[in-house]
Amino acid sequence: VIYEDEALLVVNKPAGMAVHGGSGVSLGVIEQIRLELPQQKFLELAHRLDRETSGVLLLAKKRAALVALHELMRPDSEASSNATRMNKRYLVLVAGEWKNKVQHVKLALQKDVTEDGERRVHVEEGGMAAHTIFRLRQGYGDYTVLEAVLKTGRTHQIRVHLAHLGFPILGDDKYGDFELNRQLMKQGLKRMFLHAWQLTLPHPVTGEILNLEAPLPAELEKYLNKIN
């Protein structure tokens, strides 16, 4: 638990755990926490993280808080247009030497579902508008650490934007470089290097600015030290 009060519960989700059950997953984060907190009558996910993404995950303990949080997340809403809108930041390690200090990526995304129920997303003109800001953090030769700021919240947005630009996320088993991923497994990187490290937002009830952070997981920190 990163933060908790009467309206919010914020947790640091580990990689490999789905946020909710379904598609062969009996228990996700939300079901697990409901079992742990049977006295909590209302508890809902305010947003989602991919199963293999770790980091800050926001849950609402009151319906009013959930409604306010969803309003903050709508890019066209009055609440999200002011200076205190919700700000999601991720850390990601990609293949390739990224050059630009700051790069705005605005590529529309189209979501499809395969015959076996798998969600796949690709860049397609006329799809849903998607905007990510990437900031260069540190280069490691053939790899680069970036900070990604989501301006929209489309499914697999960071992963697809980076893969389309030719900078796949290390360990991404859906949009990444599969041969490289096999080599990385032997070197000790056994998961996708994508971590939701910071979430800044006005409290949905009090309006107080919350700065919520989840440190880089030990296995990702260890891999960075190894390639440094």
Side-chain angles (χ1 to χ4, degrees), residues 34-217:
R34 284 172 179 161
L35 287 174
E36 293 287 337
L37 303 174
Q39 74 281 5
Q40 185 64 47
K41 300 305 181 186
F42 185 90
L43 191 64
E44 295 288 348
L45 292 164
H47 65 114
R48 300 180 181 185
L49 293 176
D50 294 344
R51 184 188 301 191
E52 294 308 320
T53 303
S54 53
V56 181
L57 182 66
L58 190 60
L59 298 92
K61 295 167 68 177
K62 292 184 176 181
R63 184 170 296 280
L66 182 66
V67 171
L69 289 169
H70 283 171
E71 186 68 15
L72 272 175
M73 294 179 199
R74 279 182 46 223
D76 58 344
S77 73
E78 183 178 340
S80 69
S81 63
N82 62 31
T84 56
R85 64 168 293 168
M86 186 177 292
N87 197 317
K88 300 178 186 176
R89 297 174 183 270
Y90 294 72
L91 292 176
V92 55
L93 183 64
V94 300
E97 295 182 51
W98 189 279
K99 301 296 185 183
N100 299 332
K101 288 186 176 180
V102 180
Q103 183 170 338
H104 288 253
V105 177
K106 297 180 179 179
L107 294 169
L109 300 177
Q110 180 66 43
K111 181 166 61 175
D112 299 311
V113 179
T114 63
E115 291 182 359
D116 57 2
E118 182 187 10
R119 291 184 301 170
R120 299 284 300 193
V121 179
H122 61 274
V123 170
E124 183 175 303
E125 190 174 344
M128 297 290 285
H131 181 191
T132 315
I133 302 172
F134 293 104
R135 290 189 173 92
L136 176 61
R137 292 285 294 246
Q138 187 170 349
Y140 291 87
D142 294 333
Y143 307 140
T144 309
V145 173
L146 302 173
E147 178 185 84
V149 180
L150 285 180
K151 307 304 284 184
T152 55
R154 309 301 179 200
T155 300
H156 301 164
Q157 178 174 319
I158 296 172
R159 300 165 67 180
V160 176
H161 274 175
L162 287 169
H164 183 80
L165 294 174
F167 293 86
I169 298 175
L170 300 195
D172 187 343
D173 62 1
K174 185 169 288 197
Y175 305 102
D177 182 326
F178 306 124
E179 181 55 41
L180 176 60
N181 287 344
R182 278 194 285 271
Q183 298 173 26
L184 296 172
M185 286 278 286
K186 298 174 183 177
Q187 297 172 13
L189 184 64
K190 302 183 185 301
R191 55 159 290 191
M192 179 170 64
F193 203 119
L194 179 59
H195 177 66
W197 82 280
Q198 187 181 71
L199 181 61
T200 304
L201 73 158
H203 191 285
V205 176
T206 67
E208 174 193 1
I209 300 300
L210 300 177
N211 292 298
L212 308 164
E213 291 188 6
L216 198 64

Side-chain angles (χ1 to χ4, degrees), residues 1-5 8-13 33 37 57 59 61 212-214:
V1 174
I2 296 171
Y3 175 89
E4 184 175 12
D5 62 18
L8 295 178
L9 175 62
V10 186
V11 298
N12 183 2
K13 186 189 86 66
I33 295 178
L37 303 174
L57 182 66
L59 298 92
K61 295 167 68 177
L212 308 164
E213 291 188 6

